[in-house]
Amino acid sequence: MRTLVFDGRTGAAGDMICAALIAAGADPDALAPVSDALPVRYAVGEVEKNGIRATTVDVLVDDRTVETDGDHDHGHDHSHGHDHGPDNDPSTSGSDEPAEGAGVHRSYREVVELVESMGLPPAVESTALDAFELLGRAEASVHGTDLNETHFHEVGADDAIADVVGAALLLADLGPERVVTTPVAAGGGTVEMSHGTYPVPAPATTEIASRAGFRIAGGPIDRELLTPTGAAILGAVADGFDAVPDLAVERAGYGAGDADFERHPNVLRALVGDGREPGPDGDREKRDDDRARAGQPVDGRLAHDDIAILETNLDDAAPEVLGGLQETLSRAGARDVTIVPTAMKKSRPGHLVKVICKPADAEAVAEHLARETGTLGVRQSGASHRWIADRAFETATLRVDGEDHEVDVKVASTTDGEVYDVSGEYDDAAAVAEATGLPIREVLRRVEAEVREQLPRE
């Protein structure tokens, strides 16, 4: 599996992520849609950090075309020791200036509309919007506002949008099948914001980290190393690992931040390679143990998937409400919804609703669950991951009385491709049964047998 690993031992910011992706092989020309949509351009260069050659990416703006807004909420977001400031200005001519904080500062809804107007490929747009939703929900939680009413300042400016969308474009160009990150250094000490002095990591960064699927670590110096923008990008694209997983490295790249540290190179490392390390069968048990400790999928087993589990007890929900929860909660991000009849206090009949979702979606799903059912509280249980099958769909064609009917069939396998279950989709089978007069179970038997026959033989 082609895997991209971010190694964030000295933190991460939006420009560092873009630079690391380019250094790892992404084409800078992929950034063109951002320059077409915003009055900015990217300057890609190189710098040496503590003996390491690293790539830099600066977002530049023509100062004659951009209005600036002096009402900054944080006054810190895009300068966290990483993004380029006056001591590293790559612009040497014309009116191009670093776009830090430049441009109109937008609400969350305005940012979403702008991203949707760029005409990006669906996967790129989805990645960018996921990152901005993480940012928006973090800001809303910190300030006690509604998501759609949340107003971005630095992270709604042109440069932050260029970082987020740029990272999504470069990631799509690089094309990894999976993205992971080691624990990311947050730094230490304090940071000055417009509301006062706060400990590192800043409130928004802390909130994003609580929703994302990766871990943060303090240090290694007393300086803010992880920005909300950087945390949101990683949270949108990367699974968290405790260490660099087994990897047949094909390419390594380094994305530089602006600041220079005495003993720590201020770079974000990106590694690209085959995430399934080959080896003799005799080494398999050891390799499997190493991968399990690192949180990596183990060959021949099920895949690791970070999740949150939400629960609530209901004693007065109408059957129609319960019946619609699967659809309504799925739209909010739920992966699975289970409703269990139970006995509640005073022996009254009730229902336990259990919902599985990604950690980043937990708040939105909980809110939808409360609104749909009227429950006064939603619990998040202690589970942090599940083991899941690799799933693929095949289309089986069933010929009855000279007519062809198609049924989707789900194929479940372990991480090394061993199929252990084949099951036809019930709704498709029911439609074919109604059209042909065959029993549903006969339709399922035939289409499952067809797909099993097509599977590769050992």
Side-chain angles (χ1 to χ4, degrees):
M1 177 181 292
R2 185 171 171 80
T3 301
L4 167 65
V5 180
F6 287 112
D7 186 6
R9 299 184 206 193
T10 50
D15 63 335
M16 295 177 75
I17 293 172
C18 290
L21 289 169
I22 291 173
D27 186 352
D29 289 344
L31 296 167
V34 178
S35 298
D36 292 341
L38 295 173
V40 300
R41 69 177 180 87
Y42 296 89
V44 179
E46 288 188 353
V47 70
E48 185 176 296
K49 293 289 184 180
N50 297 63
I52 294 177
R53 186 180 67 175
T55 299
T56 61
V57 172
D58 288 272
V59 180
L60 306 180
V61 62
D62 185 336
D63 60 3
R64 293 171 300 181
T65 64
V66 177
E67 297 177 0
T68 58
D69 181 351
D71 180 22
H72 290 203
D73 185 3
H74 296 310
H76 76 290
D77 175 74
H78 218 60
S79 61
H80 296 225
H82 291 301
D83 299 305
H84 297 277
D87 60 335
N88 189 18
D89 184 356
S91 176
T92 58
S93 63
S95 56
D96 284 333
E97 294 183 353
E100 187 174 316
V104 177
H105 296 177
R106 303 171 176 92
S107 68
Y108 168 75
R109 179 50 50 192
E110 289 171 333
V111 170
V112 170
E113 291 172 354
L114 174 59
V115 172
E116 291 176 341
S117 73
M118 289 183 174
L120 302 169
V124 174
E125 179 179 294
S126 177
T127 297
L129 291 179
D130 285 349
F132 277 115
E133 183 174 352
L134 271 174
L135 281 164
R137 292 195 179 280
E139 293 285 356
S141 177
V142 169
H143 297 298
T145 59
D146 179 79
L147 175 62
N148 289 317
E149 296 175 356
T150 298
H151 192 78
F152 289 144
H153 294 276
E154 278 77 7
V155 294
D158 290 340
D159 59 326
I161 293 174
D163 279 346
V164 173
V165 179
L169 287 163
L170 293 168
L171 185 66
D173 182 75
L174 196 59
E177 296 174 82
R178 189 176 191 193
V179 182
V180 303
T181 181
T182 64
V184 184
T190 59
V191 61
E192 294 293 332
M193 301 193 302
S194 59
H195 299 295
T197 301
Y198 286 83
V200 170
T205 303
T206 304
E207 188 65 28
I208 292 170
S210 73
R211 300 165 185 269
F214 65 88
R215 302 171 70 89
I216 62 173
I221 62 173
D222 281 346
R223 175 144 180 183
E224 188 174 35
L225 300 179
L226 177 61
T227 72
T229 303
I233 295 171
L234 293 178
V237 303
D239 296 322
F241 275 33
D242 289 337
V244 175
D246 291 348
L247 194 71
V249 178
E250 299 170 7
R251 185 155 182 171
Y254 298 85
D258 179 54
D260 293 316
F261 306 138
E262 182 178 356
R263 298 180 57 84
H264 301 279
N266 187 17
V267 295
L268 172 67
R269 181 167 65 168
L271 305 173
V272 179
D274 184 355
R276 288 184 175 178
E277 181 184 10
D281 290 342
D283 292 339
R284 176 169 177 170
E285 184 176 349
K286 178 181 183 301
R287 290 187 291 110
D288 285 354
D289 289 344
D290 290 344
R291 291 181 178 188
R293 281 194 296 270
Q296 186 181 9
V298 176
D299 289 347
R301 303 185 190 176
L302 300 180
H304 180 280
D305 183 38
D306 292 315
I307 59 164
I309 296 181
L310 307 178
E311 297 180 346
T312 191
N313 291 52
L314 304 173
D315 62 2
D316 59 355
E320 295 83 1
V321 171
L322 294 173
L325 285 180
Q326 184 70 250
E327 180 179 355
T328 55
L329 295 180
S330 293
R331 289 200 296 265
R335 303 301 177 91
D336 190 31
V337 179
T338 303
I339 302 173
V340 183
T342 188
M344 301 183 66
K345 60 184 178 182
K346 299 182 180 179
S347 299
R348 292 185 303 213
H351 295 86
L352 170 64
V353 180
K354 297 175 70 74
V355 184
I356 294 175
C357 63
K358 298 296 288 183
D361 297 326
E363 183 180 4
V365 173
E367 181 180 342
H368 276 72
L369 178 57
R371 290 182 181 276
E372 290 292 332
T373 64
T375 184
L376 300 181
V378 177
R379 303 179 297 276
Q380 181 166 335
S381 69
S384 62
H385 65 270
R386 61 179 175 176
W387 301 103
I388 60 172
D390 285 343
R391 285 161 280 186
F393 284 89
E394 302 290 342
T395 300
T397 302
L398 185 65
R399 191 168 185 82
V400 180
D401 296 332
E403 292 189 5
D404 290 339
H405 304 271
E406 292 187 344
V407 176
D408 282 342
V409 179
K410 182 164 54 181
V411 180
S413 62
T414 60
T415 55
D416 62 355
E418 180 184 351
V419 174
Y420 68 86
D421 185 66
V422 174
S423 57
E425 291 294 283
Y426 180 86
D427 289 345
D428 289 356
V432 173
E434 183 176 356
T436 62
L438 290 172
I440 295 176
R441 65 176 183 173
E442 177 64 14
V443 174
L444 290 171
R445 185 190 68 79
R446 292 189 188 184
V447 296
E448 290 168 4
E450 178 184 327
V451 170
R452 286 188 182 276
E453 186 65 28
Q454 295 172 355
L455 292 174
R457 302 291 182 183
E458 293 293 337

